[in-house]
Amino acid sequence: MFRQASKPQDDYQVVLGARGENRSTAKDYIQSMISDFMEFHGDRYYGEDEAIIAGIGFLGDLPITVIGIEKGKDTNERIRHNFGSAHPEGYRKALRLMKQAEKFHRPVLCLVDTAGAYCGIDAEERGQGRAIADNLAEMADLKTPMISVVIGEGGSGGALALSHTDRIWMMEDAYFSVVSPESCANILWKSTEKADVAAKALGLTANRLYEMGLIEKICRKGKMKELSENLKKEFRLLLAKSVEELLEERYQRFRKIGY
Amino acid sequence: MGVPNIVDGDTKRCIGMELKKLFLKANNELENTNGRAKSRKISCKTCQKKLTVEEIRANSFVCPACGYYFPVRARRRILMLTDKRSFHEMDRELVSKNVLEFPEYEEKLQQAMEKSRENEGVICGVATIQGQRVCLFSMDSNFMMGSMGAVVGEKITRIFEYATVEHLPVLGITVSGGARMQEGMLSLMQMSKVSQAVKRHSKAGNLYVVLLTNPTTGGVDASFAMLGDITLAEPGARVGFAGPRVIEKSLNQALPKNFQMSERVLECGFIDAIVPRNQQKEYLGKILKLHARLGEEYRMEEDHVSTGK
Ligand SMILES: [Zn+2]
């Protein structure tokens, strides 16, 4: 299962690479892995947040729900998708569609790629914290298999809100971190110059996180077919479990972390 | 089932104690009571009025002149809110390790322990409030800004799991700058770990009351601080996800004065009530009484319902 990243890279370079403009975004993954994808909109409370694209489609012959954080490709798209930083509506839309997936016992695939949840007055006042908290608590109890794949940036709570899943996988060139290395360096050492030191210390690469047992799989970049095959296999495995087993294992997956 | 250790090791973990003894050594200007300290003067952070430590304490750590809320350390909170000598601490011995070998983390832990006189940033245990049994966790801003590392997450998870097994309500007193950077993803994922324990506790029909105090932000705001059945806050407490300076910088505009203040957060619909410090114990006692009665009646039926184990 474990694959070594193709060459040892400076951890900070991984972060910069994960933010790179020419990377595949959630849309690319959906396009190449999901057939008959239909996108659905809105959180049913307040609005539609295009930072998150969500809908249903087929993974092979398996109907699934897909929820992806989308950054956009060009300037116009990036603005429309808010550079992949979701408001509370985005997380609530995601949760709505996860609940729908639960109803039809359809597996859920989350594609995570965000620098973080959006920081703004409106986002705060519509309950950014509550929206993320709700996702964590509700996903813990969602009676259908879920896998999240960090395809680029795994920026803190905003990424975690789509990662309370049975499996967390990462692309070999993605990162997942409690804080951006720049903020970390700025807070601790009053200097963003030391972002590379922070990146190393934070242990944010797929390899480090795999070693620590925080993720289940490292996926080779650019191999969408392979990823799609692996997802099909894993979903089948998870679907074979009883709901009780699934939820208990999901609980234990997070329960053992850190202590 | 995810309730390791705690039930068997109960008596070992529960350290009944006379809380006052622990205050003698506490290392901040309001708590340090070496000799004549009670008459020592401190100026209020807001109105600059000079007050004696005794005056401040007698007024529930609120400035009698302007109403400023002095920060209260975790153990003092427990003393203020629970019945005398009713508190039994659990998991006090858990201490953090520098798993990531993060630069300067050990030193910071050492300093935090000296400053707070605690092993970690949260105190957990069981107590009574006006005679009602309740599990509680109380966070400490003197310990690395109340940041949540693996031990904080573990202790809070354990108290929820214990409360689920024992059918007890949980009171959480939050103060935190968020996840603890020095523990990287181990720290971030404590949000997931605690939230799922809160969910199980809730599904089993148990009450969870949160008291938000200044400040409750970041990963704590985005997890168990926002998952209460009843959400209370202190006046003027900052409650929010993103730091105000981060928002100010990214928006390049000044923030409204009441932004992320508990009064505003209540207006936005995320807080049930703001409770002044001198009324909190009574208020909590009432809530617990209201739920205790329901609990008794439902207990029989509940045993037939899955407790999420
Ligand atoms: Zn004053």
mmCIF file of all heavy atoms in Angstrom, chain A residues 149-194:
data_model
loop_
_atom_site.group_PDB
_atom_site.id
_atom_site.type_symbol
_atom_site.label_atom_id
_atom_site.label_comp_id
_atom_site.label_asym_id
_atom_site.label_seq_id
_atom_site.Cartn_x
_atom_site.Cartn_y
_atom_site.Cartn_z
ATOM 1 N N VAL A 149 -9.625 12.237 -0.066
ATOM 2 C CA VAL A 149 -8.303 12.267 -0.686
ATOM 3 C C VAL A 149 -7.828 13.721 -0.700
ATOM 4 O O VAL A 149 -8.516 14.590 -1.240
ATOM 5 C CB VAL A 149 -8.344 11.725 -2.133
ATOM 6 C CG1 VAL A 149 -6.939 11.703 -2.721
ATOM 7 C CG2 VAL A 149 -8.982 10.347 -2.191
ATOM 8 N N VAL A 150 -6.702 13.977 -0.054
ATOM 9 C CA VAL A 150 -6.126 15.320 -0.100
ATOM 10 C C VAL A 150 -5.344 15.414 -1.403
ATOM 11 O O VAL A 150 -4.338 14.740 -1.578
ATOM 12 C CB VAL A 150 -5.211 15.590 1.109
ATOM 13 C CG1 VAL A 150 -4.701 17.025 1.087
ATOM 14 C CG2 VAL A 150 -5.944 15.303 2.417
ATOM 15 N N ILE A 151 -5.852 16.223 -2.331
ATOM 16 C CA ILE A 151 -5.250 16.255 -3.665
ATOM 17 C C ILE A 151 -4.239 17.388 -3.813
ATOM 18 O O ILE A 151 -3.457 17.409 -4.755
ATOM 19 C CB ILE A 151 -6.337 16.364 -4.761
ATOM 20 C CG1 ILE A 151 -7.193 17.615 -4.552
ATOM 21 C CG2 ILE A 151 -7.214 15.112 -4.765
ATOM 22 C CD1 ILE A 151 -8.161 17.891 -5.696
ATOM 23 N N GLY A 152 -4.280 18.344 -2.899
ATOM 24 C CA GLY A 152 -3.331 19.464 -2.982
ATOM 25 C C GLY A 152 -3.052 19.990 -1.590
ATOM 26 O O GLY A 152 -2.269 19.426 -0.847
ATOM 27 N N GLU A 153 -3.760 21.051 -1.232
ATOM 28 C CA GLU A 153 -3.559 21.631 0.093
ATOM 29 C C GLU A 153 -4.551 21.068 1.091
ATOM 30 O O GLU A 153 -5.756 21.022 0.840
ATOM 31 C CB GLU A 153 -3.754 23.151 0.032
ATOM 32 C CG GLU A 153 -2.668 23.879 -0.715
ATOM 33 C CD GLU A 153 -2.752 25.375 -0.459
ATOM 34 O OE1 GLU A 153 -2.161 25.830 0.523
ATOM 35 O OE2 GLU A 153 -3.407 26.075 -1.252
ATOM 36 N N GLY A 154 -4.039 20.664 2.227
ATOM 37 C CA GLY A 154 -4.882 20.287 3.354
ATOM 38 C C GLY A 154 -4.707 21.347 4.416
ATOM 39 O O GLY A 154 -3.922 21.182 5.349
ATOM 40 N N GLY A 155 -5.433 22.447 4.252
ATOM 41 C CA GLY A 155 -5.242 23.595 5.127
ATOM 42 C C GLY A 155 -6.117 23.554 6.359
ATOM 43 O O GLY A 155 -7.272 23.961 6.334
ATOM 44 N N SER A 156 -5.590 23.018 7.433
ATOM 45 C CA SER A 156 -6.159 23.132 8.776
ATOM 46 C C SER A 156 -7.644 22.726 8.877
ATOM 47 O O SER A 156 -8.079 21.797 8.205
ATOM 48 C CB SER A 156 -5.942 24.571 9.261
ATOM 49 O OG SER A 156 -6.146 24.662 10.634
ATOM 50 N N GLY A 157 -8.390 23.421 9.729
ATOM 51 C CA GLY A 157 -9.786 23.059 10.011
ATOM 52 C C GLY A 157 -10.662 23.011 8.772
ATOM 53 O O GLY A 157 -11.575 22.186 8.683
ATOM 54 N N GLY A 158 -10.373 23.867 7.817
ATOM 55 C CA GLY A 158 -11.159 23.905 6.592
ATOM 56 C C GLY A 158 -11.020 22.634 5.775
ATOM 57 O O GLY A 158 -11.931 22.254 5.028
ATOM 58 N N ALA A 159 -9.887 21.961 5.906
ATOM 59 C CA ALA A 159 -9.671 20.681 5.223
ATOM 60 C C ALA A 159 -10.183 19.533 6.084
ATOM 61 O O ALA A 159 -10.757 18.563 5.591
ATOM 62 C CB ALA A 159 -8.181 20.493 4.919
ATOM 63 N N LEU A 160 -9.987 19.681 7.376
ATOM 64 C CA LEU A 160 -10.423 18.647 8.319
ATOM 65 C C LEU A 160 -11.938 18.434 8.250
ATOM 66 O O LEU A 160 -12.427 17.318 8.432
ATOM 67 C CB LEU A 160 -10.021 19.051 9.737
ATOM 68 C CG LEU A 160 -10.108 17.977 10.808
ATOM 69 C CD1 LEU A 160 -8.980 16.963 10.613
ATOM 70 C CD2 LEU A 160 -10.035 18.578 12.205
ATOM 71 N N ALA A 161 -12.658 19.523 7.956
ATOM 72 C CA ALA A 161 -14.127 19.476 7.924
ATOM 73 C C ALA A 161 -14.665 18.521 6.867
ATOM 74 O O ALA A 161 -15.842 18.179 6.881
ATOM 75 C CB ALA A 161 -14.691 20.876 7.683
ATOM 76 N N LEU A 162 -13.817 18.097 5.921
ATOM 77 C CA LEU A 162 -14.237 17.091 4.941
ATOM 78 C C LEU A 162 -13.418 15.812 5.098
ATOM 79 O O LEU A 162 -13.382 14.967 4.209
ATOM 80 C CB LEU A 162 -14.084 17.635 3.509
ATOM 81 C CG LEU A 162 -14.982 18.803 3.117
ATOM 82 C CD1 LEU A 162 -14.743 19.202 1.671
ATOM 83 C CD2 LEU A 162 -16.460 18.476 3.323
ATOM 84 N N SER A 163 -12.756 15.669 6.227
ATOM 85 C CA SER A 163 -11.845 14.537 6.389
ATOM 86 C C SER A 163 -12.153 13.645 7.586
ATOM 87 O O SER A 163 -11.302 12.861 8.003
ATOM 88 C CB SER A 163 -10.400 15.042 6.514
ATOM 89 O OG SER A 163 -10.079 15.858 5.415
ATOM 90 N N HIS A 164 -13.359 13.762 8.121
ATOM 91 C CA HIS A 164 -13.692 12.817 9.205
ATOM 92 C C HIS A 164 -14.271 11.556 8.545
ATOM 93 O O HIS A 164 -15.454 11.233 8.664
ATOM 94 C CB HIS A 164 -14.675 13.424 10.204
ATOM 95 C CG HIS A 164 -14.692 12.666 11.494
ATOM 96 N ND1 HIS A 164 -14.110 13.132 12.641
ATOM 97 C CD2 HIS A 164 -15.187 11.454 11.805
ATOM 98 C CE1 HIS A 164 -14.263 12.240 13.608
ATOM 99 N NE2 HIS A 164 -14.911 11.211 13.124
ATOM 100 N N THR A 165 -13.399 10.825 7.872
ATOM 101 C CA THR A 165 -13.816 9.753 6.979
ATOM 102 C C THR A 165 -13.170 8.429 7.384
ATOM 103 O O THR A 165 -12.247 8.415 8.202
ATOM 104 C CB THR A 165 -13.390 10.106 5.538
ATOM 105 O OG1 THR A 165 -12.033 10.580 5.566
ATOM 106 C CG2 THR A 165 -14.263 11.212 4.962
ATOM 107 N N ASP A 166 -13.653 7.338 6.784
ATOM 108 C CA ASP A 166 -13.097 6.022 7.129
ATOM 109 C C ASP A 166 -11.640 5.895 6.720
ATOM 110 O O ASP A 166 -10.854 5.205 7.357
ATOM 111 C CB ASP A 166 -13.917 4.926 6.431
ATOM 112 C CG ASP A 166 -15.365 5.003 6.856
ATOM 113 O OD1 ASP A 166 -15.630 4.851 8.061
ATOM 114 O OD2 ASP A 166 -16.235 5.255 5.995
ATOM 115 N N ARG A 167 -11.307 6.540 5.615
ATOM 116 C CA ARG A 167 -9.921 6.538 5.147
ATOM 117 C C ARG A 167 -9.539 7.956 4.757
ATOM 118 O O ARG A 167 -10.348 8.673 4.175
ATOM 119 C CB ARG A 167 -9.762 5.659 3.891
ATOM 120 C CG ARG A 167 -10.224 4.217 4.041
ATOM 121 C CD ARG A 167 -9.189 3.362 4.761
ATOM 122 N NE ARG A 167 -9.624 1.970 4.784
ATOM 123 C CZ ARG A 167 -10.319 1.426 5.782
ATOM 124 N NH1 ARG A 167 -10.645 2.154 6.845
ATOM 125 N NH2 ARG A 167 -10.679 0.152 5.747
ATOM 126 N N ILE A 168 -8.301 8.321 5.066
ATOM 127 C CA ILE A 168 -7.759 9.563 4.520
ATOM 128 C C ILE A 168 -6.554 9.184 3.664
ATOM 129 O O ILE A 168 -5.615 8.550 4.143
ATOM 130 C CB ILE A 168 -7.325 10.550 5.632
ATOM 131 C CG1 ILE A 168 -8.505 10.876 6.556
ATOM 132 C CG2 ILE A 168 -6.783 11.839 5.012
ATOM 133 C CD1 ILE A 168 -8.143 11.782 7.743
ATOM 134 N N TRP A 169 -6.640 9.525 2.411
ATOM 135 C CA TRP A 169 -5.524 9.286 1.496
ATOM 136 C C TRP A 169 -4.941 10.629 1.082
ATOM 137 O O TRP A 169 -5.612 11.654 1.126
ATOM 138 C CB TRP A 169 -6.018 8.531 0.237
ATOM 139 C CG TRP A 169 -6.498 7.127 0.511
ATOM 140 C CD1 TRP A 169 -6.504 6.477 1.723
ATOM 141 C CD2 TRP A 169 -7.057 6.215 -0.448
ATOM 142 N NE1 TRP A 169 -7.037 5.211 1.563
ATOM 143 C CE2 TRP A 169 -7.376 5.025 0.255
ATOM 144 C CE3 TRP A 169 -7.309 6.294 -1.821
ATOM 145 C CZ2 TRP A 169 -7.940 3.911 -0.393
ATOM 146 C CZ3 TRP A 169 -7.876 5.194 -2.466
ATOM 147 C CH2 TRP A 169 -8.181 4.011 -1.754
ATOM 148 N N MET A 170 -3.692 10.589 0.669
ATOM 149 C CA MET A 170 -3.073 11.826 0.183
ATOM 150 C C MET A 170 -2.302 11.569 -1.100
ATOM 151 O O MET A 170 -1.647 10.540 -1.236
ATOM 152 C CB MET A 170 -2.097 12.386 1.235
ATOM 153 C CG MET A 170 -2.780 13.103 2.387
ATOM 154 S SD MET A 170 -1.593 13.629 3.638
ATOM 155 C CE MET A 170 -0.838 15.052 2.843
ATOM 156 N N MET A 171 -2.355 12.522 -2.017
ATOM 157 C CA MET A 171 -1.457 12.462 -3.152
ATOM 158 C C MET A 171 -0.042 12.658 -2.608
ATOM 159 O O MET A 171 0.166 13.369 -1.631
ATOM 160 C CB MET A 171 -1.781 13.571 -4.178
ATOM 161 C CG MET A 171 -3.200 13.532 -4.731
ATOM 162 S SD MET A 171 -3.737 11.898 -5.310
ATOM 163 C CE MET A 171 -2.693 11.687 -6.749
ATOM 164 N N GLU A 172 0.913 12.039 -3.273
ATOM 165 C CA GLU A 172 2.286 12.066 -2.735
ATOM 166 C C GLU A 172 2.861 13.479 -2.641
ATOM 167 O O GLU A 172 3.763 13.730 -1.849
ATOM 168 C CB GLU A 172 3.207 11.183 -3.581
ATOM 169 C CG GLU A 172 3.311 11.618 -5.029
ATOM 170 C CD GLU A 172 4.091 10.626 -5.878
ATOM 171 O OE1 GLU A 172 4.805 9.789 -5.302
ATOM 172 O OE2 GLU A 172 3.980 10.684 -7.114
ATOM 173 N N ASP A 173 2.318 14.399 -3.445
ATOM 174 C CA ASP A 173 2.842 15.771 -3.430
ATOM 175 C C ASP A 173 1.869 16.748 -2.761
ATOM 176 O O ASP A 173 1.899 17.941 -3.026
ATOM 177 C CB ASP A 173 3.166 16.223 -4.853
ATOM 178 C CG ASP A 173 1.956 16.141 -5.782
ATOM 179 O OD1 ASP A 173 0.907 15.598 -5.347
ATOM 180 O OD2 ASP A 173 2.059 16.625 -6.926
ATOM 181 N N ALA A 174 0.979 16.223 -1.929
ATOM 182 C CA ALA A 174 0.055 17.087 -1.200
ATOM 183 C C ALA A 174 0.576 17.312 0.218
ATOM 184 O O ALA A 174 1.535 16.662 0.638
ATOM 185 C CB ALA A 174 -1.322 16.439 -1.147
ATOM 186 N N TYR A 175 -0.037 18.232 0.927
ATOM 187 C CA TYR A 175 0.316 18.394 2.345
ATOM 188 C C TYR A 175 -0.958 18.538 3.168
ATOM 189 O O TYR A 175 -2.024 18.867 2.639
ATOM 190 C CB TYR A 175 1.248 19.587 2.559
ATOM 191 C CG TYR A 175 0.561 20.937 2.604
ATOM 192 C CD1 TYR A 175 0.113 21.470 3.818
ATOM 193 C CD2 TYR A 175 0.344 21.689 1.453
ATOM 194 C CE1 TYR A 175 -0.531 22.699 3.868
ATOM 195 C CE2 TYR A 175 -0.297 22.913 1.498
ATOM 196 C CZ TYR A 175 -0.736 23.414 2.712
ATOM 197 O OH TYR A 175 -1.380 24.630 2.766
ATOM 198 N N PHE A 176 -0.849 18.271 4.442
ATOM 199 C CA PHE A 176 -1.975 18.438 5.371
ATOM 200 C C PHE A 176 -1.358 19.005 6.644
ATOM 201 O O PHE A 176 -0.435 18.417 7.206
ATOM 202 C CB PHE A 176 -2.632 17.075 5.642
ATOM 203 C CG PHE A 176 -4.085 17.148 6.088
ATOM 204 C CD1 PHE A 176 -4.915 16.036 5.935
ATOM 205 C CD2 PHE A 176 -4.621 18.296 6.650
ATOM 206 C CE1 PHE A 176 -6.260 16.086 6.326
ATOM 207 C CE2 PHE A 176 -5.956 18.353 7.041
ATOM 208 C CZ PHE A 176 -6.775 17.241 6.881
ATOM 209 N N SER A 177 -1.841 20.173 7.066
ATOM 210 C CA SER A 177 -1.165 20.823 8.194
ATOM 211 C C SER A 177 -2.136 21.545 9.117
ATOM 212 O O SER A 177 -3.178 22.036 8.693
ATOM 213 C CB SER A 177 -0.134 21.823 7.667
ATOM 214 O OG SER A 177 0.538 22.430 8.744
ATOM 215 N N VAL A 178 -1.736 21.623 10.368
ATOM 216 C CA VAL A 178 -2.535 22.306 11.385
ATOM 217 C C VAL A 178 -2.543 23.811 11.143
ATOM 218 O O VAL A 178 -3.465 24.516 11.513
ATOM 219 C CB VAL A 178 -1.998 21.967 12.806
ATOM 220 C CG1 VAL A 178 -0.574 22.472 12.979
ATOM 221 C CG2 VAL A 178 -2.885 22.540 13.901
ATOM 222 N N VAL A 179 -1.509 24.293 10.474
ATOM 223 C CA VAL A 179 -1.364 25.744 10.250
ATOM 224 C C VAL A 179 -0.454 25.915 9.040
ATOM 225 O O VAL A 179 0.357 25.033 8.740
ATOM 226 C CB VAL A 179 -0.763 26.410 11.516
ATOM 227 C CG1 VAL A 179 0.622 25.870 11.825
ATOM 228 C CG2 VAL A 179 -0.705 27.932 11.403
ATOM 229 N N SER A 180 -0.570 27.022 8.330
ATOM 230 C CA SER A 180 0.347 27.228 7.208
ATOM 231 C C SER A 180 1.741 27.488 7.779
ATOM 232 O O SER A 180 1.878 28.100 8.835
ATOM 233 C CB SER A 180 -0.105 28.416 6.352
ATOM 234 O OG SER A 180 0.315 29.634 6.926
ATOM 235 N N PRO A 181 2.771 26.999 7.097
ATOM 236 C CA PRO A 181 4.129 27.194 7.629
ATOM 237 C C PRO A 181 4.474 28.669 7.810
ATOM 238 O O PRO A 181 5.205 29.022 8.734
ATOM 239 C CB PRO A 181 5.033 26.559 6.576
ATOM 240 C CG PRO A 181 4.164 25.894 5.584
ATOM 241 C CD PRO A 181 2.732 26.215 5.869
ATOM 242 N N GLU A 182 3.919 29.516 6.941
ATOM 243 C CA GLU A 182 4.203 30.957 7.059
ATOM 244 C C GLU A 182 3.620 31.523 8.354
ATOM 245 O O GLU A 182 4.303 32.233 9.095
ATOM 246 C CB GLU A 182 3.627 31.732 5.861
ATOM 247 C CG GLU A 182 4.316 31.448 4.536
ATOM 248 C CD GLU A 182 3.751 30.206 3.837
ATOM 249 O OE1 GLU A 182 2.842 29.569 4.406
ATOM 250 O OE2 GLU A 182 4.236 29.870 2.742
ATOM 251 N N SER A 183 2.349 31.200 8.636
ATOM 252 C CA SER A 183 1.743 31.701 9.879
ATOM 253 C C SER A 183 2.466 31.145 11.082
ATOM 254 O O SER A 183 2.699 31.844 12.072
ATOM 255 C CB SER A 183 0.276 31.286 10.006
ATOM 256 O OG SER A 183 -0.429 31.596 8.861
ATOM 257 N N CYS A 184 2.813 29.871 10.994
ATOM 258 C CA CYS A 184 3.500 29.229 12.103
ATOM 259 C C CYS A 184 4.804 29.948 12.407
ATOM 260 O O CYS A 184 5.084 30.314 13.548
ATOM 261 C CB CYS A 184 3.753 27.764 11.753
ATOM 262 S SG CYS A 184 4.627 26.872 13.037
ATOM 263 N N ALA A 185 5.598 30.193 11.363
ATOM 264 C CA ALA A 185 6.887 30.873 11.542
ATOM 265 C C ALA A 185 6.673 32.288 12.065
ATOM 266 O O ALA A 185 7.421 32.781 12.907
ATOM 267 C CB ALA A 185 7.639 30.907 10.214
ATOM 268 N N ASN A 186 5.632 32.914 11.568
ATOM 269 C CA ASN A 186 5.341 34.277 11.979
ATOM 270 C C ASN A 186 4.953 34.350 13.454
ATOM 271 O O ASN A 186 5.408 35.207 14.204
ATOM 272 C CB ASN A 186 4.219 34.838 11.100
ATOM 273 C CG ASN A 186 4.134 36.331 11.192
ATOM 274 O OD1 ASN A 186 5.138 36.996 11.464
ATOM 275 N ND2 ASN A 186 2.949 36.871 11.013
ATOM 276 N N ILE A 187 4.122 33.404 13.884
ATOM 277 C CA ILE A 187 3.677 33.402 15.284
ATOM 278 C C ILE A 187 4.828 33.028 16.214
ATOM 279 O O ILE A 187 5.052 33.673 17.230
ATOM 280 C CB ILE A 187 2.495 32.429 15.469
ATOM 281 C CG1 ILE A 187 1.264 32.919 14.684
ATOM 282 C CG2 ILE A 187 2.140 32.291 16.948
ATOM 283 C CD1 ILE A 187 0.185 31.871 14.503
ATOM 284 N N LEU A 188 5.581 32.000 15.847
ATOM 285 C CA LEU A 188 6.600 31.499 16.767
ATOM 286 C C LEU A 188 7.902 32.280 16.713
ATOM 287 O O LEU A 188 8.552 32.493 17.724
ATOM 288 C CB LEU A 188 6.890 30.031 16.483
ATOM 289 C CG LEU A 188 5.773 29.046 16.811
ATOM 290 C CD1 LEU A 188 6.216 27.631 16.479
ATOM 291 C CD2 LEU A 188 5.367 29.142 18.270
ATOM 292 N N TRP A 189 8.287 32.671 15.528
ATOM 293 C CA TRP A 189 9.609 33.286 15.381
ATOM 294 C C TRP A 189 9.548 34.669 14.743
ATOM 295 O O TRP A 189 10.564 35.218 14.347
ATOM 296 C CB TRP A 189 10.519 32.350 14.581
ATOM 297 C CG TRP A 189 10.581 30.972 15.181
ATOM 298 C CD1 TRP A 189 10.911 30.669 16.476
ATOM 299 C CD2 TRP A 189 10.282 29.727 14.537
ATOM 300 N NE1 TRP A 189 10.827 29.320 16.670
ATOM 301 C CE2 TRP A 189 10.459 28.708 15.494
ATOM 302 C CE3 TRP A 189 9.886 29.376 13.241
ATOM 303 C CZ2 TRP A 189 10.236 27.370 15.205
ATOM 304 C CZ3 TRP A 189 9.675 28.039 12.949
ATOM 305 C CH2 TRP A 189 9.850 27.049 13.924
ATOM 306 N N LYS A 190 8.363 35.213 14.648
ATOM 307 C CA LYS A 190 8.162 36.557 14.098
ATOM 308 C C LYS A 190 8.850 36.751 12.751
ATOM 309 O O LYS A 190 9.391 37.813 12.456
ATOM 310 C CB LYS A 190 8.696 37.631 15.071
ATOM 311 C CG LYS A 190 8.229 37.467 16.509
ATOM 312 C CD LYS A 190 6.871 38.091 16.750
ATOM 313 C CE LYS A 190 6.343 37.809 18.139
ATOM 314 N NZ LYS A 190 5.412 36.674 18.218
ATOM 315 N N SER A 191 8.872 35.687 11.960
ATOM 316 C CA SER A 191 9.530 35.821 10.673
ATOM 317 C C SER A 191 8.985 34.790 9.698
ATOM 318 O O SER A 191 9.069 33.591 9.936
ATOM 319 C CB SER A 191 11.045 35.625 10.861
ATOM 320 O OG SER A 191 11.592 34.940 9.760
ATOM 321 N N THR A 192 8.410 35.266 8.606
ATOM 322 C CA THR A 192 7.891 34.338 7.614
ATOM 323 C C THR A 192 9.024 33.680 6.832
ATOM 324 O O THR A 192 8.825 32.705 6.137
ATOM 325 C CB THR A 192 6.943 35.049 6.620
ATOM 326 O OG1 THR A 192 7.545 36.273 6.245
ATOM 327 C CG2 THR A 192 5.585 35.316 7.236
ATOM 328 N N GLU A 193 10.230 34.253 6.972
ATOM 329 C CA GLU A 193 11.399 33.682 6.284
ATOM 330 C C GLU A 193 11.661 32.248 6.738
ATOM 331 O O GLU A 193 12.229 31.455 6.007
ATOM 332 C CB GLU A 193 12.655 34.504 6.597
ATOM 333 C CG GLU A 193 12.452 35.995 6.535
ATOM 334 C CD GLU A 193 12.952 36.585 5.234
ATOM 335 O OE1 GLU A 193 14.181 36.661 5.090
ATOM 336 O OE2 GLU A 193 12.109 36.941 4.384
ATOM 337 N N LYS A 194 11.269 31.975 7.972
ATOM 338 C CA LYS A 194 11.554 30.659 8.513
ATOM 339 C C LYS A 194 10.461 29.650 8.191
ATOM 340 O O LYS A 194 10.347 28.605 8.858
ATOM 341 C CB LYS A 194 11.740 30.750 10.024
ATOM 342 C CG LYS A 194 13.050 31.397 10.415
ATOM 343 C CD LYS A 194 13.325 31.167 11.880
ATOM 344 C CE LYS A 194 14.667 31.777 12.258
ATOM 345 N NZ LYS A 194 14.859 31.742 13.709
#
